[in-house]
Amino acid sequence: MSAAPLRYDDAVIRRILTEIRTIAMVGASAKEIRPSYFVLKYLLAKGFRVIPVNPGLADQEILGQTVYADLASIPEPVDMVDVFRSSDAVPAVVDQALALDPKPKVIWTQLGVRHDEAASKAEAAGLTVIMDRCPKIEFARLSGEIGWNGVNSRVISSKKPTRGSGYQSFGLGPRR
């Protein structure tokens, strides 16, 4: 029996994506064909500070960003931990995140990544948890960008999107 599908209110996701500034991306890859690479690239282009975490690439750079071996090695606070690892790796990532001072505000797991027990532990510690979602897709959906490809974003608004600079530059709120 599979777990019930996860549903998150658009207002919660919008709040997260407008309030956070620094994202630790656990499982970031330097390979341009990997989803974590283009999500990292997209989020950087949207003005987020994205810190790649990958022990095999520690002290190297991905898209000009220094890669760290683990969350504890990051020399600055992070607002969100984005998990690009398998579901069985989530409990260890949550434990690392909860050991940080200050703790991040959000644990976000990518598409297909879900661990309900680890999520409950993070939520009990006061963190917001989003699982089985991609911040790139959610940002594009909520800003209207994804609709350019004919995808139903489930967002209807008469308000003109905030315009930034560059290609596909709509945003969710104030300019970064």
Side-chain angles (χ1 to χ4, degrees), residues 1 19 24 31 52 55 75 83-84 101 104 108 122 137 143 150 157 159 161 168:
M1 183 171 143
E19 290 179 1
K31 296 178 183 175
V83 184
F84 262 100
D101 186 23
W108 189 302
I137 292 170
S143 70
S157 175
K159 294 181 182 177
Q168 292 189 343

Side-chain angles (χ1 to χ4, degrees), residues 1-60:
M1 183 171 143
S2 64
L6 299 167
R7 299 190 188 280
Y8 299 101
D9 189 85
D10 284 351
V12 171
I13 293 175
R14 183 181 303 275
R15 178 187 51 78
I16 290 168
L17 295 175
T18 54
E19 290 179 1
I20 64 157
R21 295 288 177 253
T22 305
I23 302 169
M25 184 177 287
V26 178
S29 176
K31 296 178 183 175
E32 294 179 10
I33 62 167
R34 302 290 299 181
S36 63
Y37 181 90
F38 56 82
V39 169
L40 193 151
K41 185 175 183 177
Y42 179 90
L43 293 174
L44 286 171
K46 294 301 175 188
F48 293 97
R49 166 93 169 98
V50 185
I51 302 169
V53 177
N54 184 326
L57 300 173
D59 299 321
Q60 297 179 37

Side-chain angles (χ1 to χ4, degrees), residues 24 38 75 81 103 105 133:
F38 56 82
V81 176
K103 289 178 182 59
K105 298 175 182 117
R133 295 284 186 280

